[in-house]
Amino acid sequence: MNQEEWIQKYLHSELTDQELIEFEQLVATDAALAEELTIRSIFYADRSRHLKSELEALLEQKKPSLLENALAYTDAQLKAIKEAVNTYLIQRHEAPLVMMDNRILVNRNWQIAIVAYQNKKYQLAVQQLQQLSLEKALTDEQIFYLGLCLFYQENPQVEATIEQFQNLLGNGDSIYYEEAKWYISLAYLEQADWVKAKKYLQEIVAQKSWQYKQASHLLTHL
Amino acid sequence: MQKLSLEDIENIKKGDQKPLGKVFLAHYDYCTTALVKHDHCSLADAKDVVMDAIQVLNDKIVQGKFHNTNLQSYILTIARNKLRNKHKRDRKSLPFDPVKVENYLRQKEDSGSKLSESQQKKVDAVLLGLEKLGGKCKQIIRRNLYDGVPLKELTVELNYKDITVLKSTKSRCIKKLKVFIQELLVKVQD
């Protein structure tokens, strides 16, 4: 390695333990190298300071990451939020109703999905609904239950859950609008995205819509 | 943003830091989360080493040593090296540890730092010395030793006939810089 490579590797923290010892010995016995290293280290640090202040400024404009949101809470607060969310998640939403006379008209995939949901076989329900969606556009009711099943299944797909509820929230006339708002709040809480969860929970409380008391309770933790 | 465009690479080489900002924002959440979760460091440390990694990325590009690989894993690997080094460094005896110098420069208005008083004076003298250089010398030293642009590239950038002329000019400029540093240090002592 030539002198320039030694200095670069040192400044970039690329020297192995052994190389670092070797470099220390070189610097200790070569005054010119020590002086060069001094100047280069100072320049490097000054450049780092300027670059970091620019990057810090960019971060200030950026929304906080989920990690930053989570770190703003103590472990005890996080535990309390988790417990509160679980309390509401355990209470499964009631299964869709199918009128006896309509059974014959109902699509087979949807029928299986309903029975699967009733029996808490959420993954099977997801498969049926996804299959159905390949054949025709899902109704609001089917989208809603697909969102729930994605959330309730053994390995929840929270991102996909949010996507389904967002589809419903895009239509203010949907009969599942209020329900979607509540469950999307829970999904965001599960994701530790407190900012978005808070926004929806506050809307639920302000509009006194479905589950507003529960929403108010969750807000006390945020 | 998994890879840099050729245009971004060229702009970084010219000293434009905007593309670096884009890279930083694109990978900040992923890298800091990975460092906090898997390397068990604080968010402040994770943030710091990810920014360090951006500086290394800049240097590698400027020096023509960056092979356009997956940026996310590239930044994370450098950040991990920096993190490991942060803990190692305290045991080492090299002069003017850049981390300590940076701490001194960043906290200058606030409290003290881990640098001794004489070291702090030297840091100030070196930076003032660079400013005092002025003209062509300042340009050469700044682009080569401060920004890390290799002499070969600098020969073209500063319109030198050949690299040997630039090398000898640089050598004279360094001597001049050292004289200024000495003068400034003597002035401070008086």
Side-chain angles (χ1 to χ4, degrees):
Chain A
M1 242 190 297
N2 63 33
Q3 183 171 303
E4 182 57 28
E5 284 167 338
W6 274 113
I7 293 175
Q8 283 297 337
K9 280 190 99 177
Y10 167 70
L11 293 175
H12 292 161
S13 306
E14 288 170 344
L15 294 175
T16 62
D17 286 351
Q18 186 52 43
E19 285 171 336
L20 199 55
I21 293 167
E22 214 179 306
F23 187 50
E24 276 184 301
Q25 286 165 352
L26 277 174
V27 174
T29 53
D30 185 339
L33 173 61
E35 185 61 14
E36 166 100 14
L37 183 64
T38 297
I39 293 173
R40 298 287 292 274
S41 297
I42 293 169
F43 284 168
Y44 190 84
D46 192 50
R47 195 156 57 86
S48 177
R49 171 178 63 135
H50 288 299
L51 177 66
K52 282 180 183 174
S53 62
E54 281 180 31
L55 297 177
E56 293 265 11
L58 288 176
L59 274 187
E60 277 171 24
Q61 294 159 18
K62 175 187 162 297
K63 71 178 179 73
S65 68
L66 299 181
L67 175 72
E68 285 162 330
N69 280 330
L71 290 175
Y73 289 81
T74 64
D75 285 349
Q77 281 173 308
L78 289 174
K79 201 176 159 210
I81 295 169
K82 187 94 187 147
E83 278 171 6
V85 172
N86 283 341
T87 312
Y88 297 121
L89 273 182
I90 287 167
Q91 302 160 21
R92 300 303 201 208
H93 198 90
E94 60 187 38
L97 283 174
V98 182
M99 306 301 285
M100 292 296 279
D101 298 346
N102 283 348
R103 272 191 187 178
I104 206 152
L105 300 171
V106 171
N107 175 286
R108 175 128 183 92
N109 291 113
W110 181 222
Q111 268 185 32
I112 298 172
I114 293 170
V115 176
Y117 186 91
Q118 285 165 340
N119 293 309
K120 299 185 175 156
K121 307 273 186 205
Y122 302 113
Q123 208 166 335
L124 175 62
V126 167
Q127 285 166 6
Q128 294 302 317
L129 285 163
Q130 283 173 338
Q131 183 60 40
L132 180 58
S133 72
L134 297 176
E135 294 162 20
K136 57 178 191 167
L138 297 182
T139 63
D140 280 3
E141 185 180 34
Q142 288 160 346
I143 294 171
F144 175 68
Y145 280 97
L146 175 57
L148 281 184
C149 293
L150 287 162
F151 203 14
Y152 288 161
Q153 65 186 355
E154 206 177 343
N155 296 310
Q157 293 179 43
V158 186
E159 284 283 346
T161 299
I162 289 170
E163 201 181 310
Q164 298 307 320
F165 293 139
Q166 266 167 349
N167 284 337
L168 294 172
L169 290 171
N171 173 15
D173 295 331
S174 169
I175 54 163
Y176 285 95
Y177 185 82
E178 291 190 4
E179 284 87 343
K181 206 172 254 189
W182 166 249
Y183 284 109
I184 204 170
S185 310
L186 297 185
Y188 279 128
L189 285 175
E190 194 69 14
Q191 256 198 344
D193 192 340
W194 319 126
V195 178
K196 285 189 183 141
K198 214 170 175 174
K199 175 187 162 263
Y200 284 113
L201 290 170
Q202 282 167 339
E203 280 178 21
I204 294 170
V205 174
Q207 291 156 6
K208 285 203 170 180
S209 56
W210 188 64
Q211 299 284 74
Y212 78 92
K213 283 185 184 162
Q214 289 83 343
S216 175
H217 169 234
L218 282 176
L219 279 170
T220 60
H221 293 290
L222 298 174
Chain B
M1 188 185 199
Q2 287 306 320
K3 291 198 172 189
L4 278 165
S5 68
L6 286 176
E7 193 190 351
D8 283 341
I9 291 177
E10 283 312 309
N11 286 338
I12 292 169
K13 280 183 178 173
K14 285 176 199 155
D16 179 6
Q17 295 197 329
K18 273 186 202 133
L20 291 173
K22 277 196 291 180
V23 173
F24 174 67
L25 286 181
H27 301 290
Y28 174 80
D29 286 353
Y30 175 84
C31 292
T32 49
T33 304
L35 290 164
V36 170
K37 278 190 179 170
H38 305 300
D39 298 77
H40 312 290
C41 67
S42 67
L43 179 61
D45 276 348
K47 185 171 150 185
D48 201 50
V49 293
V50 171
M51 290 198 262
D52 283 332
I54 296 293
Q55 186 173 359
V56 175
L57 171 69
N58 172 72
D59 290 0
K60 296 281 182 193
I61 292 170
V62 166
Q63 291 157 10
K65 290 178 186 167
F66 175 70
H67 310 293
N68 209 349
T69 50
N70 181 298
L71 280 170
Q72 195 155 282
S73 46
Y74 189 78
I75 292 167
L76 190 56
T77 305
I78 301 170
R80 285 207 164 109
N81 280 345
K82 285 279 179 185
L83 191 65
R84 267 192 290 273
N85 219 262
K86 249 185 179 197
H87 306 300
K88 248 193 279 178
R89 263 208 168 117
D90 280 344
R91 304 199 307 267
K92 303 297 172 190
S93 57
L94 288 166
F96 292 91
D97 177 348
V99 176
K100 289 181 188 171
V101 176
E102 192 193 317
N103 285 343
Y104 163 64
L105 291 170
R106 294 180 88 180
Q107 296 164 8
K108 217 170 172 183
E109 302 85 20
D110 311 324
S111 54
S113 78
K114 287 175 187 170
L115 287 184
S116 68
E117 204 178 320
S118 65
Q119 283 178 317
Q120 291 179 12
K121 282 175 186 161
K122 177 99 185 208
V123 171
D124 293 341
V126 169
L127 294 176
L128 271 173
L130 175 64
E131 287 308 307
K132 214 179 152 194
L133 267 180
K136 208 82 180 159
C137 265
K138 185 179 172 185
Q139 206 176 10
I140 293 169
I141 300 298
R142 192 167 181 99
R143 289 296 281 150
N144 181 233
L145 298 186
Y146 190 98
D147 294 336
V149 179
L151 284 176
K152 201 178 155 195
E153 276 74 29
L154 214 53
T155 310
V156 180
E157 191 182 305
L158 301 179
N159 293 320
Y160 274 83
K161 264 193 205 154
D162 59 66
I163 196 166
T164 42
V165 180
L166 179 59
K167 267 184 188 168
S168 61
T169 314
K170 179 194 160 186
S171 165
R172 280 199 302 277
C173 294
I174 289 180
K175 274 185 196 153
K176 206 171 159 188
L177 174 67
K178 285 179 182 170
V179 170
F180 283 157
I181 294 169
Q182 271 314 112
E183 282 174 4
L184 286 161
L185 284 172
V186 171
K187 217 183 247 181
V188 173
Q189 277 166 2
D190 293 344

mmCIF file of all heavy atoms in Angstrom, chain B residues 120-150:
data_model
loop_
_atom_site.group_PDB
_atom_site.id
_atom_site.type_symbol
_atom_site.label_atom_id
_atom_site.label_comp_id
_atom_site.label_asym_id
_atom_site.label_seq_id
_atom_site.Cartn_x
_atom_site.Cartn_y
_atom_site.Cartn_z
ATOM 1 N N GLN B 120 -6.683 21.543 19.661
ATOM 2 C CA GLN B 120 -7.752 22.415 19.160
ATOM 3 C C GLN B 120 -7.152 23.601 18.399
ATOM 4 O O GLN B 120 -7.645 24.003 17.351
ATOM 5 C CB GLN B 120 -8.605 22.929 20.317
ATOM 6 C CG GLN B 120 -9.426 21.838 20.973
ATOM 7 C CD GLN B 120 -10.267 22.334 22.137
ATOM 8 O OE1 GLN B 120 -10.421 23.527 22.349
ATOM 9 N NE2 GLN B 120 -10.798 21.405 22.906
ATOM 10 N N LYS B 121 -6.064 24.120 18.954
ATOM 11 C CA LYS B 121 -5.406 25.260 18.296
ATOM 12 C C LYS B 121 -4.862 24.848 16.936
ATOM 13 O O LYS B 121 -4.898 25.605 15.966
ATOM 14 C CB LYS B 121 -4.272 25.791 19.180
ATOM 15 C CG LYS B 121 -4.813 26.655 20.325
ATOM 16 C CD LYS B 121 -3.715 27.077 21.248
ATOM 17 C CE LYS B 121 -4.302 27.820 22.459
ATOM 18 N NZ LYS B 121 -3.387 27.857 23.586
ATOM 19 N N LYS B 122 -4.354 23.628 16.893
ATOM 20 C CA LYS B 122 -3.799 23.137 15.624
ATOM 21 C C LYS B 122 -4.906 22.982 14.579
ATOM 22 O O LYS B 122 -4.720 23.355 13.415
ATOM 23 C CB LYS B 122 -3.096 21.794 15.871
ATOM 24 C CG LYS B 122 -2.530 21.140 14.647
ATOM 25 C CD LYS B 122 -1.057 21.387 14.501
ATOM 26 C CE LYS B 122 -0.520 20.830 13.211
ATOM 27 N NZ LYS B 122 0.863 20.446 13.271
ATOM 28 N N VAL B 123 -6.048 22.453 15.017
ATOM 29 C CA VAL B 123 -7.182 22.302 14.090
ATOM 30 C C VAL B 123 -7.554 23.664 13.519
ATOM 31 O O VAL B 123 -7.693 23.833 12.298
ATOM 32 C CB VAL B 123 -8.405 21.667 14.817
ATOM 33 C CG1 VAL B 123 -9.644 21.724 13.929
ATOM 34 C CG2 VAL B 123 -8.103 20.231 15.220
ATOM 35 N N ASP B 124 -7.684 24.645 14.409
ATOM 36 C CA ASP B 124 -8.046 25.997 13.957
ATOM 37 C C ASP B 124 -6.997 26.543 12.988
ATOM 38 O O ASP B 124 -7.329 27.153 11.969
ATOM 39 C CB ASP B 124 -8.171 26.946 15.159
ATOM 40 C CG ASP B 124 -9.347 26.564 16.047
ATOM 41 O OD1 ASP B 124 -10.232 25.851 15.553
ATOM 42 O OD2 ASP B 124 -9.357 26.959 17.223
ATOM 43 N N ALA B 125 -5.714 26.308 13.312
ATOM 44 C CA ALA B 125 -4.630 26.838 12.477
ATOM 45 C C ALA B 125 -4.639 26.187 11.085
ATOM 46 O O ALA B 125 -4.430 26.875 10.079
ATOM 47 C CB ALA B 125 -3.286 26.605 13.164
ATOM 48 N N VAL B 126 -4.881 24.893 11.045
ATOM 49 C CA VAL B 126 -4.896 24.204 9.741
ATOM 50 C C VAL B 126 -6.014 24.753 8.861
ATOM 51 O O VAL B 126 -5.804 25.050 7.683
ATOM 52 C CB VAL B 126 -5.035 22.670 9.934
ATOM 53 C CG1 VAL B 126 -5.333 21.977 8.605
ATOM 54 C CG2 VAL B 126 -3.773 22.086 10.562
ATOM 55 N N LEU B 127 -7.194 24.912 9.442
ATOM 56 C CA LEU B 127 -8.328 25.393 8.638
ATOM 57 C C LEU B 127 -8.155 26.862 8.237
ATOM 58 O O LEU B 127 -8.474 27.244 7.112
ATOM 59 C CB LEU B 127 -9.651 25.177 9.395
ATOM 60 C CG LEU B 127 -10.017 23.700 9.609
ATOM 61 C CD1 LEU B 127 -11.284 23.562 10.445
ATOM 62 C CD2 LEU B 127 -10.184 22.958 8.288
ATOM 63 N N LEU B 128 -7.611 27.646 9.165
ATOM 64 C CA LEU B 128 -7.349 29.047 8.826
ATOM 65 C C LEU B 128 -6.247 29.154 7.786
ATOM 66 O O LEU B 128 -6.299 29.991 6.881
ATOM 67 C CB LEU B 128 -6.921 29.815 10.086
ATOM 68 C CG LEU B 128 -8.046 30.444 10.911
ATOM 69 C CD1 LEU B 128 -7.495 31.018 12.205
ATOM 70 C CD2 LEU B 128 -8.708 31.563 10.095
ATOM 71 N N GLY B 129 -5.255 28.285 7.929
ATOM 72 C CA GLY B 129 -4.133 28.244 6.982
ATOM 73 C C GLY B 129 -4.616 27.993 5.576
ATOM 74 O O GLY B 129 -4.165 28.638 4.619
ATOM 75 N N LEU B 130 -5.560 27.095 5.428
ATOM 76 C CA LEU B 130 -6.116 26.783 4.109
ATOM 77 C C LEU B 130 -6.802 28.024 3.525
ATOM 78 O O LEU B 130 -6.624 28.347 2.347
ATOM 79 C CB LEU B 130 -7.120 25.620 4.204
ATOM 80 C CG LEU B 130 -7.874 25.253 2.927
ATOM 81 C CD1 LEU B 130 -6.930 24.755 1.843
ATOM 82 C CD2 LEU B 130 -8.930 24.189 3.196
ATOM 83 N N GLU B 131 -7.571 28.695 4.362
ATOM 84 C CA GLU B 131 -8.259 29.905 3.903
ATOM 85 C C GLU B 131 -7.250 30.978 3.465
ATOM 86 O O GLU B 131 -7.434 31.672 2.496
ATOM 87 C CB GLU B 131 -9.157 30.470 5.007
ATOM 88 C CG GLU B 131 -10.409 29.651 5.266
ATOM 89 C CD GLU B 131 -11.202 29.373 3.989
ATOM 90 O OE1 GLU B 131 -11.513 30.337 3.268
ATOM 91 O OE2 GLU B 131 -11.472 28.186 3.695
ATOM 92 N N LYS B 132 -6.175 31.060 4.283
ATOM 93 C CA LYS B 132 -5.166 32.093 4.044
ATOM 94 C C LYS B 132 -4.376 31.858 2.748
ATOM 95 O O LYS B 132 -3.856 32.804 2.156
ATOM 96 C CB LYS B 132 -4.198 32.097 5.238
ATOM 97 C CG LYS B 132 -3.667 33.475 5.591
ATOM 98 C CD LYS B 132 -2.753 33.390 6.783
ATOM 99 C CE LYS B 132 -1.733 34.523 6.716
ATOM 100 N NZ LYS B 132 -0.625 34.340 7.622
ATOM 101 N N LEU B 133 -4.312 30.593 2.341
ATOM 102 C CA LEU B 133 -3.525 30.254 1.145
ATOM 103 C C LEU B 133 -3.933 31.088 -0.069
ATOM 104 O O LEU B 133 -3.095 31.706 -0.719
ATOM 105 C CB LEU B 133 -3.705 28.783 0.796
ATOM 106 C CG LEU B 133 -2.709 27.775 1.334
ATOM 107 C CD1 LEU B 133 -3.084 26.385 0.849
ATOM 108 C CD2 LEU B 133 -1.284 28.099 0.926
ATOM 109 N N GLY B 134 -5.218 31.086 -0.344
ATOM 110 C CA GLY B 134 -5.737 31.873 -1.467
ATOM 111 C C GLY B 134 -5.241 31.410 -2.830
ATOM 112 O O GLY B 134 -4.350 30.555 -2.937
ATOM 113 N N GLY B 135 -5.862 31.930 -3.871
ATOM 114 C CA GLY B 135 -5.446 31.688 -5.258
ATOM 115 C C GLY B 135 -5.363 30.231 -5.663
ATOM 116 O O GLY B 135 -6.118 29.385 -5.193
ATOM 117 N N LYS B 136 -4.406 29.981 -6.574
ATOM 118 C CA LYS B 136 -4.225 28.652 -7.146
ATOM 119 C C LYS B 136 -3.913 27.607 -6.077
ATOM 120 O O LYS B 136 -4.409 26.482 -6.133
ATOM 121 C CB LYS B 136 -3.057 28.735 -8.149
ATOM 122 C CG LYS B 136 -3.143 27.742 -9.257
ATOM 123 C CD LYS B 136 -4.079 28.220 -10.359
ATOM 124 C CE LYS B 136 -4.186 27.246 -11.489
ATOM 125 N NZ LYS B 136 -5.389 27.425 -12.279
ATOM 126 N N CYS B 137 -3.061 28.011 -5.103
ATOM 127 C CA CYS B 137 -2.669 27.068 -4.046
ATOM 128 C C CYS B 137 -3.881 26.581 -3.268
ATOM 129 O O CYS B 137 -4.033 25.397 -3.008
ATOM 130 C CB CYS B 137 -1.683 27.742 -3.083
ATOM 131 S SG CYS B 137 0.027 27.408 -3.520
ATOM 132 N N LYS B 138 -4.739 27.508 -2.913
ATOM 133 C CA LYS B 138 -5.936 27.138 -2.142
ATOM 134 C C LYS B 138 -6.787 26.167 -2.960
ATOM 135 O O LYS B 138 -7.290 25.170 -2.455
ATOM 136 C CB LYS B 138 -6.735 28.389 -1.797
ATOM 137 C CG LYS B 138 -7.930 28.092 -0.903
ATOM 138 C CD LYS B 138 -8.683 29.343 -0.566
ATOM 139 C CE LYS B 138 -9.968 28.998 0.157
ATOM 140 N NZ LYS B 138 -10.795 30.165 0.394
ATOM 141 N N GLN B 139 -6.900 26.491 -4.249
ATOM 142 C CA GLN B 139 -7.706 25.656 -5.147
ATOM 143 C C GLN B 139 -7.144 24.226 -5.223
ATOM 144 O O GLN B 139 -7.882 23.248 -5.116
ATOM 145 C CB GLN B 139 -7.681 26.297 -6.526
ATOM 146 C CG GLN B 139 -8.868 25.966 -7.378
ATOM 147 C CD GLN B 139 -8.823 26.710 -8.699
ATOM 148 O OE1 GLN B 139 -7.814 27.329 -9.060
ATOM 149 N NE2 GLN B 139 -9.904 26.644 -9.427
ATOM 150 N N ILE B 140 -5.832 24.132 -5.372
ATOM 151 C CA ILE B 140 -5.206 22.800 -5.497
ATOM 152 C C ILE B 140 -5.348 22.010 -4.201
ATOM 153 O O ILE B 140 -5.770 20.854 -4.204
ATOM 154 C CB ILE B 140 -3.711 22.930 -5.885
ATOM 155 C CG1 ILE B 140 -3.579 23.508 -7.292
ATOM 156 C CG2 ILE B 140 -2.999 21.580 -5.785
ATOM 157 C CD1 ILE B 140 -2.157 23.921 -7.664
ATOM 158 N N ILE B 141 -4.995 22.653 -3.101
ATOM 159 C CA ILE B 141 -5.046 21.941 -1.815
ATOM 160 C C ILE B 141 -6.486 21.573 -1.467
ATOM 161 O O ILE B 141 -6.766 20.473 -0.996
ATOM 162 C CB ILE B 141 -4.419 22.803 -0.680
ATOM 163 C CG1 ILE B 141 -2.953 23.106 -0.995
ATOM 164 C CG2 ILE B 141 -4.565 22.133 0.673
ATOM 165 C CD1 ILE B 141 -2.049 21.881 -1.088
ATOM 166 N N ARG B 142 -7.385 22.484 -1.723
ATOM 167 C CA ARG B 142 -8.784 22.229 -1.400
ATOM 168 C C ARG B 142 -9.328 21.053 -2.218
ATOM 169 O O ARG B 142 -9.930 20.140 -1.677
ATOM 170 C CB ARG B 142 -9.618 23.482 -1.640
ATOM 171 C CG ARG B 142 -10.985 23.333 -1.047
ATOM 172 C CD ARG B 142 -11.796 24.581 -0.944
ATOM 173 N NE ARG B 142 -13.047 24.177 -0.321
ATOM 174 C CZ ARG B 142 -13.306 24.331 0.952
ATOM 175 N NH1 ARG B 142 -12.448 24.906 1.757
ATOM 176 N NH2 ARG B 142 -14.447 23.891 1.463
ATOM 177 N N ARG B 143 -9.109 21.083 -3.517
ATOM 178 C CA ARG B 143 -9.673 20.020 -4.358
ATOM 179 C C ARG B 143 -8.963 18.691 -4.130
ATOM 180 O O ARG B 143 -9.601 17.651 -4.140
ATOM 181 C CB ARG B 143 -9.576 20.400 -5.849
ATOM 182 C CG ARG B 143 -10.495 21.504 -6.271
ATOM 183 C CD ARG B 143 -11.965 21.132 -6.138
ATOM 184 N NE ARG B 143 -12.479 20.301 -7.210
ATOM 185 C CZ ARG B 143 -13.469 19.422 -7.053
ATOM 186 N NH1 ARG B 143 -14.026 19.243 -5.880
ATOM 187 N NH2 ARG B 143 -13.903 18.711 -8.083
ATOM 188 N N ASN B 144 -7.644 18.738 -3.913
ATOM 189 C CA ASN B 144 -6.910 17.479 -3.778
ATOM 190 C C ASN B 144 -6.958 16.924 -2.351
ATOM 191 O O ASN B 144 -7.430 15.808 -2.123
ATOM 192 C CB ASN B 144 -5.463 17.670 -4.232
ATOM 193 C CG ASN B 144 -4.646 16.393 -4.131
ATOM 194 O OD1 ASN B 144 -3.592 16.374 -3.526
ATOM 195 N ND2 ASN B 144 -5.136 15.307 -4.705
ATOM 196 N N LEU B 145 -6.493 17.696 -1.384
ATOM 197 C CA LEU B 145 -6.409 17.153 -0.028
ATOM 198 C C LEU B 145 -7.712 17.267 0.757
ATOM 199 O O LEU B 145 -7.992 16.446 1.619
ATOM 200 C CB LEU B 145 -5.282 17.851 0.752
ATOM 201 C CG LEU B 145 -3.878 17.680 0.193
ATOM 202 C CD1 LEU B 145 -2.846 18.281 1.131
ATOM 203 C CD2 LEU B 145 -3.551 16.208 -0.045
ATOM 204 N N TYR B 146 -8.501 18.280 0.485
ATOM 205 C CA TYR B 146 -9.750 18.479 1.228
ATOM 206 C C TYR B 146 -10.879 17.661 0.590
ATOM 207 O O TYR B 146 -11.498 16.840 1.240
ATOM 208 C CB TYR B 146 -10.080 19.970 1.243
ATOM 209 C CG TYR B 146 -11.204 20.372 2.177
ATOM 210 C CD1 TYR B 146 -10.934 20.882 3.442
ATOM 211 C CD2 TYR B 146 -12.541 20.281 1.786
ATOM 212 C CE1 TYR B 146 -11.963 21.274 4.298
ATOM 213 C CE2 TYR B 146 -13.569 20.660 2.625
ATOM 214 C CZ TYR B 146 -13.270 21.159 3.875
ATOM 215 O OH TYR B 146 -14.301 21.540 4.717
ATOM 216 N N ASP B 147 -11.094 17.875 -0.711
ATOM 217 C CA ASP B 147 -12.190 17.151 -1.387
ATOM 218 C C ASP B 147 -11.789 15.750 -1.840
ATOM 219 O O ASP B 147 -12.651 14.945 -2.174
ATOM 220 C CB ASP B 147 -12.666 17.938 -2.625
ATOM 221 C CG ASP B 147 -13.320 19.258 -2.252
ATOM 222 O OD1 ASP B 147 -13.809 19.375 -1.113
ATOM 223 O OD2 ASP B 147 -13.338 20.179 -3.091
ATOM 224 N N GLY B 148 -10.517 15.477 -1.895
ATOM 225 C CA GLY B 148 -10.046 14.143 -2.256
ATOM 226 C C GLY B 148 -10.001 13.853 -3.745
ATOM 227 O O GLY B 148 -9.976 12.700 -4.159
ATOM 228 N N VAL B 149 -10.001 14.879 -4.578
ATOM 229 C CA VAL B 149 -9.948 14.646 -6.033
ATOM 230 C C VAL B 149 -8.515 14.244 -6.417
ATOM 231 O O VAL B 149 -7.561 14.957 -6.093
ATOM 232 C CB VAL B 149 -10.354 15.925 -6.816
ATOM 233 C CG1 VAL B 149 -10.279 15.698 -8.321
ATOM 234 C CG2 VAL B 149 -11.755 16.376 -6.407
ATOM 235 N N PRO B 150 -8.335 13.108 -7.097
ATOM 236 C CA PRO B 150 -6.980 12.677 -7.460
ATOM 237 C C PRO B 150 -6.277 13.677 -8.388
ATOM 238 O O PRO B 150 -6.944 14.365 -9.164
ATOM 239 C CB PRO B 150 -7.208 11.344 -8.180
ATOM 240 C CG PRO B 150 -8.590 10.930 -7.852
ATOM 241 C CD PRO B 150 -9.363 12.178 -7.561
#
